Amino acid sequence: MIPSRPFRTPSTVHFGEEAADNTGPEAKRLGARKALLMTDKVLAEVGAIDPVVKSLHDSGVEVVVFDGVNSEPDLSHVKTGLQMLKEEQCDCIVACGGGSPIDAAKAVSIMATNPGKIEDYMGLDKFTVPGVPLMAVPTTAGTGSEATMFTIITDTSRDVKMLIGSPFLMPRIAIVDPLLTLNLPRKLTAATGLDALTHAIEAYVSVKAQPMTDVLALSAIKLISGNLLLAWGDPRNREARANTMLGSLQAGIAFSNASVALVHGMSRPIGANFHVPHGVSNACLLGVVMDYSLEGNPQRYADIARAMGVENGSQDTMGVAKVGAERVKNLIRMLEVPTLSELGVTSEKLEPVVEKMAEDAIASGSPGNNPRKPSKGEIIELYRAAL
């Protein structure tokens, strides 16, 4: 018997080259007169947001730009964005950038209509009123935030990355244009692409997986594993960029509905304590967590391996699964992602906080979705192995 589970996506998704041209008409369809465009300073300076701004202007929608989300979003970004939204009397938010501007925009959208502070809503399904209409235009092929009902906001006073989830956080419109990723630096291409691959793998092995998410997760694994290295090696390869971005979108929809698992649960404390970018910390953990988790569901990991092109040969299911895990680790090595130790996370720095990190990982709930359930002690050992 297949249990009943909800499956949510944005109401409209535009995917393909020059999809950004649809931003203005879609904003107009939402009834927008004045949009708050949330982005980061670098994207604004290099002109990456220009197609989005032009489309809005051409459709008669005024634009106010907040380009201050230059790092992973925290409470200050939410406060400033909310203040601008109210002072400028904007009736729509357009998030253009990587996961940080999109996550910040989600928080601003929902807090414009709900009481209290964003900290009050840490966890799942605590909002009671929909937010200001939100459109998401990603410029990286990684987070999938344009198609998820989650946001992560850092409370810097507590060094806590707050995971907040609600159907009301799902953007109304997703505009996914691979041309916006052509100038993405190689390091960001690798980190965001591996973040997307982690989303797809964890969505497929999650205990909350369902038939709809399985199809998308396996497709995403095939697209990303087959194109990410090409996009990294030749940033102007439009086909590789498009396929990687499509995989990222599919992975985002998959994990938003099936949830993530142990890698993400362990990744957030690394980011909070050592300020390692999310995609990089996922990449540093993915190999060791896959090795640990294989025995929890060898069949699912073998399916992942086959999606990556691994042939059965004479190997049994576990053998195929192990080859798939090695292929993932080899991809990470070829993409030259730094290890945690290369990023300055030493044993001396890890040991004083590793128990709290393990507790925070478990408290996030994500490890509970893993096919093999870890104890606190096992998570501690996995952190040590990841160094």
Side-chain angles (χ1 to χ4, degrees):
M1 185 180 79
I2 299 175
S4 171
R5 293 203 174 142
F7 184 83
R8 297 184 174 94
T9 66
S11 60
T12 302
V13 176
H14 289 272
F15 175 83
E17 294 190 3
E18 300 182 349
D21 294 348
N22 294 287
T23 310
E26 287 290 0
K28 202 71 177 174
R29 188 173 66 82
L30 292 173
R33 295 175 298 99
K34 192 175 188 179
L36 176 65
L37 195 157
M38 295 185 64
T39 187
D40 71 52
K41 197 172 295 293
V42 173
L43 290 174
E45 288 175 350
V46 303
I49 68 172
D50 289 356
V52 174
V53 174
K54 181 180 185 302
S55 180
L56 289 165
H57 281 156
D58 288 349
S59 296
V61 179
E62 288 187 64
V63 181
V64 177
V65 177
F66 170 36
D67 62 2
V69 192
N70 294 319
S71 60
E72 295 194 2
D74 60 35
L75 299 178
S76 68
H77 297 129
V78 179
K79 180 179 179 181
T80 303
L82 190 59
Q83 183 177 349
M84 286 186 68
L85 180 82
K86 292 179 177 178
E87 288 179 353
E88 296 287 345
Q89 297 183 328
C90 297
D91 51 12
C92 172
I93 301 176
V94 178
C96 185
S100 295
I102 297 175
D103 275 9
K106 288 178 177 180
V108 172
S109 165
I110 202 71
M111 292 312 301
T113 56
N114 285 269
K117 300 175 294 184
I118 191 69
E119 303 96 298
D120 302 333
Y121 297 93
M122 183 175 177
L124 302 177
D125 296 325
K126 295 184 179 180
F127 296 106
T128 58
V129 181
V132 170
L134 171 64
M135 301 173 61
V137 189
T139 59
T140 67
T143 70
S145 189
E146 72 276 5
T148 77
M149 53 188 175
F150 300 100
T151 185
I152 298 177
I153 305 296
T154 301
D155 182 343
T156 53
S157 65
R158 297 184 294 151
D159 278 338
V160 172
K161 286 196 169 190
M162 300 183 296
L163 175 64
I164 303 166
S166 166
F168 293 139
L169 290 173
M170 180 76 73
R172 303 275 187 93
I173 312 290
I175 308 284
V176 187
D177 187 341
L179 294 183
L180 299 182
T181 71
L182 292 181
N183 293 316
L184 196 65
R186 292 179 77 191
K187 287 183 179 179
L188 275 177
T189 297
T192 55
L194 289 171
D195 188 17
L197 182 61
T198 306
H199 291 154
I201 290 172
E202 294 213 298
Y204 191 69
V205 302
S206 169
V207 298
K208 295 180 180 177
Q210 52 169 293
M212 291 285 286
T213 61
D214 285 350
V215 172
L216 290 168
L218 288 176
S219 177
I221 290 164
K222 181 178 180 179
L223 285 166
I224 297 167
S225 65
N227 290 276
L228 177 56
L229 194 61
L230 293 171
W232 176 82
D234 177 10
R236 308 300 292 184
N237 185 327
R238 289 163 68 149
E239 182 179 4
R241 286 289 194 187
N243 285 333
T244 303
M245 198 167 202
L246 179 57
S248 172
L249 172 64
Q250 292 176 342
I253 297 172
F255 92 80
S256 185
N257 288 281
S259 195
V260 287
L262 181 55
V263 173
H264 276 76
M266 292 179 62
S267 179
R268 295 184 199 106
I270 291 176
N273 285 274
F274 302 108
H275 309 294
V276 175
H278 177 68
V280 175
S281 60
N282 276 353
C284 292
L285 292 165
L286 183 56
V288 295
V289 169
M290 285 185 75
D291 286 341
Y292 167 82
S293 303
L294 291 180
E295 68 181 61
N297 197 331
Q299 183 61 60
R300 288 256 152 178
Y301 283 103
D303 293 343
I304 289 168
R306 295 185 190 100
M308 296 180 69
V310 175
E311 300 291 341
N312 276 9
S314 60
Q315 299 171 100
D316 60 11
T317 299
M318 180 59 86
V320 175
K322 287 181 177 179
V323 173
E326 288 302 317
R327 187 164 291 193
V328 168
K329 288 186 283 187
N330 190 46
L331 176 61
I332 294 169
R333 283 191 291 269
M334 288 190 292
L335 291 168
E336 299 177 3
V337 177
T339 64
L340 289 177
S341 58
E342 289 170 343
L343 291 166
V345 184
T346 62
S347 295
E348 290 75 18
K349 292 179 180 178
L350 177 67
E351 289 305 321
V353 294
V354 71
E355 286 204 21
K356 174 70 163 51
M357 288 171 63
E359 290 167 0
D360 289 345
I362 292 171
S364 74
S366 298
N369 301 322
N370 210 56
R372 182 182 177 189
K373 304 294 187 297
S375 66
K376 175 183 171 182
E378 287 174 319
I379 291 178
I380 290 172
E381 289 306 314
L382 288 169
Y383 274 129
R384 290 169 177 159
L387 291 183

